[in-house]
Amino acid sequence: METPRRRGFNETVTRFWSFAAPAYNLPILQEWVYRPPHDEVIEQLRTHGCTRIADVACGTGVLTHRIQRELGPEELYGVDMSDGMLAQARARTDRVQWLKGPAEHLPFDDGALDAVVTTSAFHFFDQPAALREFHRVLAPAGLVAVAALSARQPRLQAPSAIRWKPAHHPSPAEMHALFEGAGFTVTEQHRVRRPIWTKILSDLITVGVKS
């Protein structure tokens, strides 16, 4: 159940991204910051042959629209909490089902999907709750792919006293433990492949399947 503190945090993030949605679409931001993890996720979905996919915290729908264009899945959903983001996503294409909701309470039945992906937003989630929810909505052997900010040096991680709280950037070991704790088997984990001029950004992709 969502706590008042968590609800207040979610509302703050939602208001911010509703305001910031136009800037999110800037070509230079998309090309340098977001496209590398999007490429990784597309590769994973293609390899696994996923046909019922949800992009969680989809923002203005850049990745979701790419999935639709490049993979043509049978069912494709973009889920976000921000009305401003979803308005721009809906203007982008009507070939995706755009839904409002938080990562911790997805609007799907148990086992309804065979892939859940999320990029550049995991630090805002209640991370154990979100992964448990991803597990719930996935069919057996379903795929989860999370691309998330993660410092290369342990000393740059948030202190353990605030671990799993909003805006936490998990280490690779923490991500592995989170996946296993939610019932996933980790099949792949590596740093997102980036052009040299964007390697100041340190993000990690972790991929798992529902055990």
Side-chain angles (χ1 to χ4, degrees):
M1 185 173 180
E2 190 178 44
T3 65
R5 180 182 177 186
R6 183 71 207 179
R7 189 179 308 114
F9 176 79
N10 283 348
E11 289 171 355
T12 299
V13 171
T14 300
R15 287 194 299 270
F16 170 78
W17 283 113
S18 291
F19 173 77
Y24 183 84
N25 284 330
L26 290 172
I28 193 169
L29 187 66
Q30 286 296 325
E31 184 69 21
W32 287 7
V33 177
Y34 296 112
R35 188 175 182 87
H38 290 181
D39 290 343
E40 300 260 7
V41 166
I42 292 282
E43 179 182 333
Q44 291 292 332
L45 293 172
R46 181 179 286 112
T47 298
H48 287 265
C50 302
T51 60
R52 298 174 298 158
I53 303 166
D55 178 15
V56 177
C58 65
T60 63
V62 175
L63 171 60
T64 328
H65 192 203
R66 273 193 68 189
I67 293 170
Q68 185 273 314
R69 295 194 320 270
E70 297 181 24
L71 304 180
E74 295 174 9
E75 298 178 27
L76 179 58
Y77 305 90
V79 185
D80 204 278
M81 293 195 304
S82 166
D83 290 323
M85 289 290 195
L86 287 171
Q88 295 209 29
R90 292 188 179 103
R92 188 181 299 279
T93 180
D94 61 1
R95 300 184 68 181
V96 173
Q97 297 186 59
W98 304 108
L99 305 172
K100 184 175 180 179
E104 301 85 358
H105 300 283
L106 296 174
F108 304 109
D109 293 334
D110 295 358
L113 304 171
D114 57 27
V116 174
V117 302
T118 186
T119 60
S120 307
F122 192 68
H123 51 288
F124 288 128
F125 300 167
D126 178 333
Q127 294 163 2
L131 282 169
R132 288 193 300 267
E133 184 71 346
F134 296 174
H135 189 275
R136 180 188 69 80
V137 303
L138 283 171
L143 175 80
V144 60
V146 176
L149 295 172
S150 177
R152 294 178 185 273
Q153 298 298 325
R155 67 180 180 274
L156 299 179
Q157 296 292 338
S160 60
I162 60 169
R163 189 170 295 168
W164 317 138
K165 301 296 175 65
H168 177 68
H169 306 300
S171 69
E174 288 171 335
M175 286 294 288
H176 204 286
L178 276 167
F179 269 55
E180 290 187 339
F184 292 105
T185 298
V186 175
T187 58
E188 186 171 348
Q189 186 182 70
H190 61 264
R191 294 287 169 186
V192 171
R193 294 180 287 268
R194 288 186 166 277
I196 189 68
W197 57 87
T198 66
K199 283 192 174 181
I200 191 172
L201 295 168
S202 180
D203 42 0
L204 181 80
I205 184 164
T206 307
V207 181
V209 294
K210 182 172 178 175
S211 305

